[in-house]
Amino acid sequence: MRTFSILIFTLFVFSVATAQTKATLKSFPTNFSTSEYENLKKWNGKIIAFDGIIRQEKISRNNTPFYLLELGENKSIWTTLMFKNKANKTGDSIRVVGYLTKIKDKRPEESYLDDENFMVIAFGLVDFKNENFLFLGGAQIQKKEWIDGKIPTQ
């Protein structure tokens, strides 16, 4: 709880300095968990927010992290970030928000995606333990919505 309080305070200070909204205990909600995992087709093209543990890390085509995030119950999903993240490593628990999309046009070096049908293209990440909050620069509306306690809209 102390770490979460420090995160909230840090975000508050950052928000005031940048004229953004401030984080509250309702900030950064999730809408996806292992119970929805069996219906990934239903979520295709939609924004999802979920918690995961980084189990593997690769480098994406854009030189940003590509994580295999374990959701629990032996379920995982590959998630690529739309920004650089040097703070998180394998074993860290993070919360991400992004678009669930069908995997297509794989490159030969992306053989780790061979048995996968879907992935997440993340535009936001929160790590409560390490006090890390990252967001895609051009997604200010979605950032404000997530901080305000709403799942971002398209």
Side-chain angles (χ1 to χ4, degrees), residues 58-66 80-81 107 110 112:
K58 305 286 184 184
I59 298 298
S60 74
R61 299 174 190 184
N62 298 324
N63 225 13
T64 60
F66 207 156
T80 187
L81 303 183
R107 294 181 176 183
E110 296 172 334
Y112 51 91

Side-chain angles (χ1 to χ4, degrees), residues 61 66 78 101-119:
R61 299 174 190 184
F66 207 156
W78 282 98
T101 186
K102 195 147 180 63
I103 294 175
K104 47 190 167 191
D105 302 324
K106 290 181 284 201
R107 294 181 176 183
E109 64 271 15
E110 296 172 334
S111 60
Y112 51 91
L113 295 174
D114 285 348
D115 296 328
E116 305 294 332
N117 292 319
F118 293 92
M119 63 181 255

Side-chain angles (χ1 to χ4, degrees), residues 6 24 32 52 65 67 78 81 85 115 118 121-122 133 139 153:
I6 293 170
T24 68
F32 188 83
Y67 298 136
W78 282 98
L81 303 183
N85 178 16
D115 296 328
F118 293 92
I121 302 172
F133 177 55
T153 58

Side-chain angles (χ1 to χ4, degrees), residues 41-97:
K41 285 183 185 179
K42 172 183 112 174
W43 292 90
N44 187 29
K46 296 184 179 169
I47 294 175
I48 63 173
F50 61 96
D51 294 315
I53 299 171
I54 302 170
R55 292 299 177 206
Q56 287 185 48
E57 181 179 354
K58 305 286 184 184
I59 298 298
S60 74
R61 299 174 190 184
N62 298 324
N63 225 13
T64 60
F66 207 156
Y67 298 136
L68 179 62
L69 293 179
E70 179 186 308
L71 307 176
E73 300 177 20
N74 295 320
K75 293 175 175 51
S76 57
I77 191 161
W78 282 98
T79 303
T80 187
L81 303 183
M82 297 175 72
F83 43 81
K84 297 196 186 278
N85 178 16
K86 296 181 181 179
N88 293 107
K89 306 292 180 228
T90 302
D92 286 350
S93 294
I94 60 174
R95 180 171 292 175
V96 295
V97 61

Side-chain angles (χ1 to χ4, degrees), residues 1-9 127-131:
M1 186 68 185
R2 181 175 185 276
T3 301
F4 186 70
S5 298
I6 293 170
L7 173 67
I8 297 298
F9 176 75
D127 174 354
F128 297 109
K129 181 180 176 191
N130 294 315
E131 301 175 13

